[in-house]
Amino acid sequence: MKRNFLVLAFLIGLITSLLGQTNKVEIKVRDFEGHLAFLSSGWFEGRETGENGGYMAADYIASQMSRMGLLPIGDRVAYQSGQTGLLKMPLVGSDQVYNQFFPLERYGAGVASLGLEIAKEGQSIRYLLKDSTDFRFVLRSGSFELDASPVFVGYGVASEELGYDDYKGIDVRGKVVVLISGFPGQDDVNSLAWKKVGSVLERKGFSNEEKAQIALKNGASMVIEVRNPLIKSSSQMPLTGTAIKPLSIYADGVSDEQYSDLEFCFPNSGDSEIPWAKLNRYWASRLFGQGETRLEDWILQNDKSARSSSFVFNDTRIFSKYQVRKSNIMVSNLLGMIKGEDTTKTIVIGAHYDHLGRRGDGIYYGSDDNASGTAGMLSLAEYWSKRDAKPKYNLLFAAWTGEEKGKLGSKWFVKELKSLRSEIILYMNFDMISRSSPFDVDCDSISVGIPQNCTNLKTQVGRLNAQIATPFKLDQWNSGAHGGSDYAPFIGAGVPAVAFFSGFHADYHTPTDRFYKADLTKMNRIVNLANQIIIWALENQKEIGKP
């Protein structure tokens, strides 16, 4: 063990030495390559929130902020478990640290059961399914027990803006809603459903959590999710909450019984989620054998018409029981600042450092998601820390934890904004910036999310992109407060935001998301474009939020 720590210390020293050679004029690959390689290595065991690898990653990021001379603006207190719950404890030593500590409750299933009762030829047959092979609960809820009728609700989407409603004309109160993963038209990107509905929802980062809220609003008691059988490649799968499996439980004869993702929430936030379980392909087909149409036929019709038609499963009931086990943990964001000439205003540059951790003997390394964003953020901090002149306004560099658990770190920061005592004029988010989607064959496209009301900011981003040596093909989309990454809490608080994303790929949320697959040249171009936006924003503060 001692030898391992000596090797770790040597690696950190070597990376620090290389990173100290930063060019003041432009950010180079060498300024982030070491961070990316190290954070996505096996040392950090996938950087899961509340696990050893996540705490080690936080320590590494804090050490780099300290090396750069960033001002720590984290906490003066931490949280410690006591007999009466979580207690605030004063920190010893420095007035402040880089860690912004916050407590979480971690939920898992103590008992989880799910079954189908199917009536056939006057007899009812009950089937008890196997946990982690036939089904898996994936969203937190309180303990419950139910026996209810299932209702099919398409993709579980209801959007007045898009004129699409899977719940229209059907009563789901007290029932189990069965829905398809992903978005309308996702199996055919040339379909009307994709162009009219699915592509818009994907760009917005529409998540399973939002589907859950729609189900709750309509009075459903539980959600069962089935896979779109027409989607063959994981590269087409969207960012949908906690749907993260290297070996899909949907696939026939394949299960990953060691994978069991826990759910996290803030203390005393209550059990706000509806019970949500995934069903594998075999039992989905058995269930749809009791419906009005085959699942594949329904999807193909929906692709063409972009209209939903929900239905009740005949002679079928769902019975389920779930008991919760809960523990308390303390985690932290990392916050380091470069003070500006005017300290009343701040630009925040952030990325989440957490990923999915270990499952059995496997590690989810999370190179693109999101060691890339964290490394990019640190390279920008390095650039600005070496400038002789102060920036016009504060620059706050932030590494968030808990993004994979529901954007918890950024939500906590936004909730505690009053402690910053400075107005945030812009938030810059980096989440997956080192790869390309399979549709981006030239590897020269990036997705940039900006709130709809920030028209001038969109214009300026387009202008600055056109001025770089090799401009990107920009996919600018309207980001919102319910999006899938850490920009969402800021937009919800009225802060203009720019969110960088380079595309989904087949390694997304799998153990094969490794450093050696990173497109360092593309990542370097993204970071330098982001830096030009920061430079513009510092000089044009009043222009940022203009419509």
mmCIF file with all atom_site columns, all heavy atoms in Angstrom, residues 214-232:
data_model
loop_
_atom_site.group_PDB
_atom_site.id
_atom_site.type_symbol
_atom_site.label_atom_id
_atom_site.label_alt_id
_atom_site.label_comp_id
_atom_site.label_asym_id
_atom_site.label_entity_id
_atom_site.label_seq_id
_atom_site.pdbx_PDB_ins_code
_atom_site.Cartn_x
_atom_site.Cartn_y
_atom_site.Cartn_z
_atom_site.occupancy
_atom_site.B_iso_or_equiv
_atom_site.pdbx_formal_charge
_atom_site.auth_seq_id
_atom_site.auth_comp_id
_atom_site.auth_asym_id
_atom_site.auth_atom_id
_atom_site.pdbx_PDB_model_num
ATOM 1   N N   . ILE A 1 214 ? -44.178 13.936 -15.051 1.00 0.00 ? 214 ILE A N   1
ATOM 2   C CA  . ILE A 1 214 ? -45.391 13.922 -15.878 1.00 0.00 ? 214 ILE A CA  1
ATOM 3   C C   . ILE A 1 214 ? -46.312 12.793 -15.432 1.00 0.00 ? 214 ILE A C   1
ATOM 4   O O   . ILE A 1 214 ? -47.531 12.963 -15.328 1.00 0.00 ? 214 ILE A O   1
ATOM 5   C CB  . ILE A 1 214 ? -45.013 13.780 -17.366 1.00 0.00 ? 214 ILE A CB  1
ATOM 6   C CG1 . ILE A 1 214 ? -44.272 15.037 -17.847 1.00 0.00 ? 214 ILE A CG1 1
ATOM 7   C CG2 . ILE A 1 214 ? -46.260 13.547 -18.216 1.00 0.00 ? 214 ILE A CG2 1
ATOM 8   C CD1 . ILE A 1 214 ? -43.675 14.900 -19.231 1.00 0.00 ? 214 ILE A CD1 1
ATOM 9   N N   . ALA A 1 215 ? -45.718 11.613 -15.151 1.00 0.00 ? 215 ALA A N   1
ATOM 10  C CA  . ALA A 1 215 ? -46.525 10.482 -14.677 1.00 0.00 ? 215 ALA A CA  1
ATOM 11  C C   . ALA A 1 215 ? -47.194 10.802 -13.347 1.00 0.00 ? 215 ALA A C   1
ATOM 12  O O   . ALA A 1 215 ? -48.376 10.503 -13.139 1.00 0.00 ? 215 ALA A O   1
ATOM 13  C CB  . ALA A 1 215 ? -45.646 9.240  -14.551 1.00 0.00 ? 215 ALA A CB  1
ATOM 14  N N   . LEU A 1 216 ? -46.449 11.427 -12.442 1.00 0.00 ? 216 LEU A N   1
ATOM 15  C CA  . LEU A 1 216 ? -47.013 11.819 -11.151 1.00 0.00 ? 216 LEU A CA  1
ATOM 16  C C   . LEU A 1 216 ? -48.148 12.811 -11.317 1.00 0.00 ? 216 LEU A C   1
ATOM 17  O O   . LEU A 1 216 ? -49.193 12.693 -10.676 1.00 0.00 ? 216 LEU A O   1
ATOM 18  C CB  . LEU A 1 216 ? -45.915 12.429 -10.272 1.00 0.00 ? 216 LEU A CB  1
ATOM 19  C CG  . LEU A 1 216 ? -45.011 11.478 -9.494  1.00 0.00 ? 216 LEU A CG  1
ATOM 20  C CD1 . LEU A 1 216 ? -43.869 12.250 -8.848  1.00 0.00 ? 216 LEU A CD1 1
ATOM 21  C CD2 . LEU A 1 216 ? -45.801 10.742 -8.423  1.00 0.00 ? 216 LEU A CD2 1
ATOM 22  N N   . LYS A 1 217 ? -47.942 13.785 -12.176 1.00 0.00 ? 217 LYS A N   1
ATOM 23  C CA  . LYS A 1 217 ? -48.952 14.815 -12.404 1.00 0.00 ? 217 LYS A CA  1
ATOM 24  C C   . LYS A 1 217 ? -50.253 14.205 -12.910 1.00 0.00 ? 217 LYS A C   1
ATOM 25  O O   . LYS A 1 217 ? -51.352 14.681 -12.601 1.00 0.00 ? 217 LYS A O   1
ATOM 26  C CB  . LYS A 1 217 ? -48.420 15.840 -13.417 1.00 0.00 ? 217 LYS A CB  1
ATOM 27  C CG  . LYS A 1 217 ? -49.369 16.989 -13.706 1.00 0.00 ? 217 LYS A CG  1
ATOM 28  C CD  . LYS A 1 217 ? -48.758 17.960 -14.708 1.00 0.00 ? 217 LYS A CD  1
ATOM 29  C CE  . LYS A 1 217 ? -49.711 19.085 -15.047 1.00 0.00 ? 217 LYS A CE  1
ATOM 30  N NZ  . LYS A 1 217 ? -49.120 20.025 -16.043 1.00 0.00 ? 217 LYS A NZ  1
ATOM 31  N N   . ASN A 1 218 ? -50.136 13.124 -13.682 1.00 0.00 ? 218 ASN A N   1
ATOM 32  C CA  . ASN A 1 218 ? -51.324 12.468 -14.225 1.00 0.00 ? 218 ASN A CA  1
ATOM 33  C C   . ASN A 1 218 ? -51.912 11.421 -13.289 1.00 0.00 ? 218 ASN A C   1
ATOM 34  O O   . ASN A 1 218 ? -52.888 10.755 -13.639 1.00 0.00 ? 218 ASN A O   1
ATOM 35  C CB  . ASN A 1 218 ? -51.003 11.838 -15.573 1.00 0.00 ? 218 ASN A CB  1
ATOM 36  C CG  . ASN A 1 218 ? -50.966 12.852 -16.694 1.00 0.00 ? 218 ASN A CG  1
ATOM 37  O OD1 . ASN A 1 218 ? -51.984 13.178 -17.299 1.00 0.00 ? 218 ASN A OD1 1
ATOM 38  N ND2 . ASN A 1 218 ? -49.780 13.386 -16.972 1.00 0.00 ? 218 ASN A ND2 1
ATOM 39  N N   . GLY A 1 219 ? -51.297 11.253 -12.098 1.00 0.00 ? 219 GLY A N   1
ATOM 40  C CA  . GLY A 1 219 ? -51.880 10.383 -11.082 1.00 0.00 ? 219 GLY A CA  1
ATOM 41  C C   . GLY A 1 219 ? -51.439 8.940  -11.120 1.00 0.00 ? 219 GLY A C   1
ATOM 42  O O   . GLY A 1 219 ? -52.046 8.090  -10.448 1.00 0.00 ? 219 GLY A O   1
ATOM 43  N N   . ALA A 1 220 ? -50.393 8.610  -11.883 1.00 0.00 ? 220 ALA A N   1
ATOM 44  C CA  . ALA A 1 220 ? -49.923 7.229  -11.968 1.00 0.00 ? 220 ALA A CA  1
ATOM 45  C C   . ALA A 1 220 ? -49.291 6.792  -10.653 1.00 0.00 ? 220 ALA A C   1
ATOM 46  O O   . ALA A 1 220 ? -48.779 7.607  -9.884  1.00 0.00 ? 220 ALA A O   1
ATOM 47  C CB  . ALA A 1 220 ? -48.919 7.080  -13.105 1.00 0.00 ? 220 ALA A CB  1
ATOM 48  N N   . SER A 1 221 ? -49.312 5.481  -10.391 1.00 0.00 ? 221 SER A N   1
ATOM 49  C CA  . SER A 1 221 ? -48.744 4.931  -9.165  1.00 0.00 ? 221 SER A CA  1
ATOM 50  C C   . SER A 1 221 ? -47.331 4.397  -9.357  1.00 0.00 ? 221 SER A C   1
ATOM 51  O O   . SER A 1 221 ? -46.569 4.283  -8.398  1.00 0.00 ? 221 SER A O   1
ATOM 52  C CB  . SER A 1 221 ? -49.628 3.792  -8.636  1.00 0.00 ? 221 SER A CB  1
ATOM 53  O OG  . SER A 1 221 ? -50.897 4.281  -8.277  1.00 0.00 ? 221 SER A OG  1
ATOM 54  N N   . MET A 1 222 ? -46.972 4.050  -10.593 1.00 0.00 ? 222 MET A N   1
ATOM 55  C CA  . MET A 1 222 ? -45.662 3.456  -10.868 1.00 0.00 ? 222 MET A CA  1
ATOM 56  C C   . MET A 1 222 ? -45.368 3.580  -12.358 1.00 0.00 ? 222 MET A C   1
ATOM 57  O O   . MET A 1 222 ? -46.279 3.716  -13.173 1.00 0.00 ? 222 MET A O   1
ATOM 58  C CB  . MET A 1 222 ? -45.654 1.980  -10.444 1.00 0.00 ? 222 MET A CB  1
ATOM 59  C CG  . MET A 1 222 ? -44.339 1.253  -10.649 1.00 0.00 ? 222 MET A CG  1
ATOM 60  S SD  . MET A 1 222 ? -44.441 -0.489 -10.126 1.00 0.00 ? 222 MET A SD  1
ATOM 61  C CE  . MET A 1 222 ? -42.787 -1.036 -10.564 1.00 0.00 ? 222 MET A CE  1
ATOM 62  N N   . VAL A 1 223 ? -44.077 3.557  -12.706 1.00 0.00 ? 223 VAL A N   1
ATOM 63  C CA  . VAL A 1 223 ? -43.649 3.568  -14.106 1.00 0.00 ? 223 VAL A CA  1
ATOM 64  C C   . VAL A 1 223 ? -42.862 2.292  -14.393 1.00 0.00 ? 223 VAL A C   1
ATOM 65  O O   . VAL A 1 223 ? -41.998 1.893  -13.611 1.00 0.00 ? 223 VAL A O   1
ATOM 66  C CB  . VAL A 1 223 ? -42.757 4.789  -14.422 1.00 0.00 ? 223 VAL A CB  1
ATOM 67  C CG1 . VAL A 1 223 ? -42.196 4.686  -15.838 1.00 0.00 ? 223 VAL A CG1 1
ATOM 68  C CG2 . VAL A 1 223 ? -43.531 6.086  -14.250 1.00 0.00 ? 223 VAL A CG2 1
ATOM 69  N N   . ILE A 1 224 ? -43.173 1.647  -15.512 1.00 0.00 ? 224 ILE A N   1
ATOM 70  C CA  . ILE A 1 224 ? -42.354 0.552  -16.036 1.00 0.00 ? 224 ILE A CA  1
ATOM 71  C C   . ILE A 1 224 ? -41.842 0.977  -17.405 1.00 0.00 ? 224 ILE A C   1
ATOM 72  O O   . ILE A 1 224 ? -42.620 1.367  -18.283 1.00 0.00 ? 224 ILE A O   1
ATOM 73  C CB  . ILE A 1 224 ? -43.144 -0.763 -16.143 1.00 0.00 ? 224 ILE A CB  1
ATOM 74  C CG1 . ILE A 1 224 ? -43.420 -1.319 -14.736 1.00 0.00 ? 224 ILE A CG1 1
ATOM 75  C CG2 . ILE A 1 224 ? -42.374 -1.787 -16.974 1.00 0.00 ? 224 ILE A CG2 1
ATOM 76  C CD1 . ILE A 1 224 ? -44.165 -2.631 -14.729 1.00 0.00 ? 224 ILE A CD1 1
ATOM 77  N N   . GLU A 1 225 ? -40.527 0.937  -17.585 1.00 0.00 ? 225 GLU A N   1
ATOM 78  C CA  . GLU A 1 225 ? -39.891 1.357  -18.831 1.00 0.00 ? 225 GLU A CA  1
ATOM 79  C C   . GLU A 1 225 ? -39.453 0.134  -19.630 1.00 0.00 ? 225 GLU A C   1
ATOM 80  O O   . GLU A 1 225 ? -38.873 -0.802 -19.090 1.00 0.00 ? 225 GLU A O   1
ATOM 81  C CB  . GLU A 1 225 ? -38.671 2.233  -18.525 1.00 0.00 ? 225 GLU A CB  1
ATOM 82  C CG  . GLU A 1 225 ? -37.909 2.682  -19.760 1.00 0.00 ? 225 GLU A CG  1
ATOM 83  C CD  . GLU A 1 225 ? -36.624 3.412  -19.398 1.00 0.00 ? 225 GLU A CD  1
ATOM 84  O OE1 . GLU A 1 225 ? -36.396 3.688  -18.207 1.00 0.00 ? 225 GLU A OE1 1
ATOM 85  O OE2 . GLU A 1 225 ? -35.839 3.685  -20.331 1.00 0.00 ? 225 GLU A OE2 1
ATOM 86  N N   . VAL A 1 226 ? -39.732 0.159  -20.936 1.00 0.00 ? 226 VAL A N   1
ATOM 87  C CA  . VAL A 1 226 ? -39.277 -0.891 -21.843 1.00 0.00 ? 226 VAL A CA  1
ATOM 88  C C   . VAL A 1 226 ? -38.425 -0.253 -22.934 1.00 0.00 ? 226 VAL A C   1
ATOM 89  O O   . VAL A 1 226 ? -38.619 0.910  -23.291 1.00 0.00 ? 226 VAL A O   1
ATOM 90  C CB  . VAL A 1 226 ? -40.453 -1.668 -22.465 1.00 0.00 ? 226 VAL A CB  1
ATOM 91  C CG1 . VAL A 1 226 ? -41.271 -2.353 -21.389 1.00 0.00 ? 226 VAL A CG1 1
ATOM 92  C CG2 . VAL A 1 226 ? -41.343 -0.750 -23.312 1.00 0.00 ? 226 VAL A CG2 1
ATOM 93  N N   . ARG A 1 227 ? -37.512 -1.030 -23.452 1.00 0.00 ? 227 ARG A N   1
ATOM 94  C CA  . ARG A 1 227 ? -36.610 -0.513 -24.473 1.00 0.00 ? 227 ARG A CA  1
ATOM 95  C C   . ARG A 1 227 ? -37.296 -0.452 -25.823 1.00 0.00 ? 227 ARG A C   1
ATOM 96  O O   . ARG A 1 227 ? -38.152 -1.277 -26.144 1.00 0.00 ? 227 ARG A O   1
ATOM 97  C CB  . ARG A 1 227 ? -35.380 -1.407 -24.581 1.00 0.00 ? 227 ARG A CB  1
ATOM 98  C CG  . ARG A 1 227 ? -34.356 -0.912 -25.598 1.00 0.00 ? 227 ARG A CG  1
ATOM 99  C CD  . ARG A 1 227 ? -33.189 -1.857 -25.706 1.00 0.00 ? 227 ARG A CD  1
ATOM 100 N NE  . ARG A 1 227 ? -32.236 -1.389 -26.692 1.00 0.00 ? 227 ARG A NE  1
ATOM 101 C CZ  . ARG A 1 227 ? -31.128 -2.032 -27.001 1.00 0.00 ? 227 ARG A CZ  1
ATOM 102 N NH1 . ARG A 1 227 ? -30.836 -3.165 -26.418 1.00 0.00 ? 227 ARG A NH1 1
ATOM 103 N NH2 . ARG A 1 227 ? -30.303 -1.544 -27.920 1.00 0.00 ? 227 ARG A NH2 1
ATOM 104 N N   . ASN A 1 228 ? -36.901 0.546  -26.629 1.00 0.00 ? 228 ASN A N   1
ATOM 105 C CA  . ASN A 1 228 ? -37.331 0.621  -28.021 1.00 0.00 ? 228 ASN A CA  1
ATOM 106 C C   . ASN A 1 228 ? -36.621 -0.500 -28.792 1.00 0.00 ? 228 ASN A C   1
ATOM 107 O O   . ASN A 1 228 ? -35.412 -0.432 -29.008 1.00 0.00 ? 228 ASN A O   1
ATOM 108 C CB  . ASN A 1 228 ? -36.969 1.980  -28.608 1.00 0.00 ? 228 ASN A CB  1
ATOM 109 C CG  . ASN A 1 228 ? -37.480 2.169  -30.020 1.00 0.00 ? 228 ASN A CG  1
ATOM 110 O OD1 . ASN A 1 228 ? -37.657 1.211  -30.775 1.00 0.00 ? 228 ASN A OD1 1
ATOM 111 N ND2 . ASN A 1 228 ? -37.703 3.414  -30.403 1.00 0.00 ? 228 ASN A ND2 1
ATOM 112 N N   . PRO A 1 229 ? -37.328 -1.543 -29.208 1.00 0.00 ? 229 PRO A N   1
ATOM 113 C CA  . PRO A 1 229 ? -36.665 -2.685 -29.843 1.00 0.00 ? 229 PRO A CA  1
ATOM 114 C C   . PRO A 1 229 ? -36.096 -2.373 -31.217 1.00 0.00 ? 229 PRO A C   1
ATOM 115 O O   . PRO A 1 229 ? -35.316 -3.169 -31.762 1.00 0.00 ? 229 PRO A O   1
ATOM 116 C CB  . PRO A 1 229 ? -37.785 -3.732 -29.939 1.00 0.00 ? 229 PRO A CB  1
ATOM 117 C CG  . PRO A 1 229 ? -39.036 -2.932 -29.974 1.00 0.00 ? 229 PRO A CG  1
ATOM 118 C CD  . PRO A 1 229 ? -38.785 -1.733 -29.115 1.00 0.00 ? 229 PRO A CD  1
ATOM 119 N N   . LEU A 1 230 ? -36.457 -1.235 -31.794 1.00 0.00 ? 230 LEU A N   1
ATOM 120 C CA  . LEU A 1 230 ? -35.952 -0.867 -33.119 1.00 0.00 ? 230 LEU A CA  1
ATOM 121 C C   . LEU A 1 230 ? -34.615 -0.143 -33.056 1.00 0.00 ? 230 LEU A C   1
ATOM 122 O O   . LEU A 1 230 ? -34.002 0.115  -34.085 1.00 0.00 ? 230 LEU A O   1
ATOM 123 C CB  . LEU A 1 230 ? -36.980 0.007  -33.847 1.00 0.00 ? 230 LEU A CB  1
ATOM 124 C CG  . LEU A 1 230 ? -38.361 -0.624 -34.065 1.00 0.00 ? 230 LEU A CG  1
ATOM 125 C CD1 . LEU A 1 230 ? -39.262 0.330  -34.835 1.00 0.00 ? 230 LEU A CD1 1
ATOM 126 C CD2 . LEU A 1 230 ? -38.242 -1.949 -34.791 1.00 0.00 ? 230 LEU A CD2 1
ATOM 127 N N   . ILE A 1 231 ? -34.165 0.192  -31.848 1.00 0.00 ? 231 ILE A N   1
ATOM 128 C CA  . ILE A 1 231 ? -32.857 0.826  -31.685 1.00 0.00 ? 231 ILE A CA  1
ATOM 129 C C   . ILE A 1 231 ? -31.841 -0.258 -31.383 1.00 0.00 ? 231 ILE A C   1
ATOM 130 O O   . ILE A 1 231 ? -31.924 -0.942 -30.375 1.00 0.00 ? 231 ILE A O   1
ATOM 131 C CB  . ILE A 1 231 ? -32.882 1.877  -30.564 1.00 0.00 ? 231 ILE A CB  1
ATOM 132 C CG1 . ILE A 1 231 ? -33.802 3.038  -30.941 1.00 0.00 ? 231 ILE A CG1 1
ATOM 133 C CG2 . ILE A 1 231 ? -31.468 2.400  -30.297 1.00 0.00 ? 231 ILE A CG2 1
ATOM 134 C CD1 . ILE A 1 231 ? -33.892 4.117  -29.896 1.00 0.00 ? 231 ILE A CD1 1
ATOM 135 N N   . LYS A 1 232 ? -30.860 -0.400 -32.242 1.00 0.00 ? 232 LYS A N   1
ATOM 136 C CA  . LYS A 1 232 ? -29.884 -1.478 -32.105 1.00 0.00 ? 232 LYS A CA  1
ATOM 137 C C   . LYS A 1 232 ? -28.569 -1.002 -31.515 1.00 0.00 ? 232 LYS A C   1
ATOM 138 O O   . LYS A 1 232 ? -27.819 -1.790 -30.964 1.00 0.00 ? 232 LYS A O   1
ATOM 139 C CB  . LYS A 1 232 ? -29.601 -2.106 -33.481 1.00 0.00 ? 232 LYS A CB  1
ATOM 140 C CG  . LYS A 1 232 ? -30.848 -2.578 -34.214 1.00 0.00 ? 232 LYS A CG  1
ATOM 141 C CD  . LYS A 1 232 ? -31.607 -3.626 -33.425 1.00 0.00 ? 232 LYS A CD  1
ATOM 142 C CE  . LYS A 1 232 ? -32.841 -4.103 -34.191 1.00 0.00 ? 232 LYS A CE  1
ATOM 143 N NZ  . LYS A 1 232 ? -33.658 -5.045 -33.404 1.00 0.00 ? 232 LYS A NZ  1
#
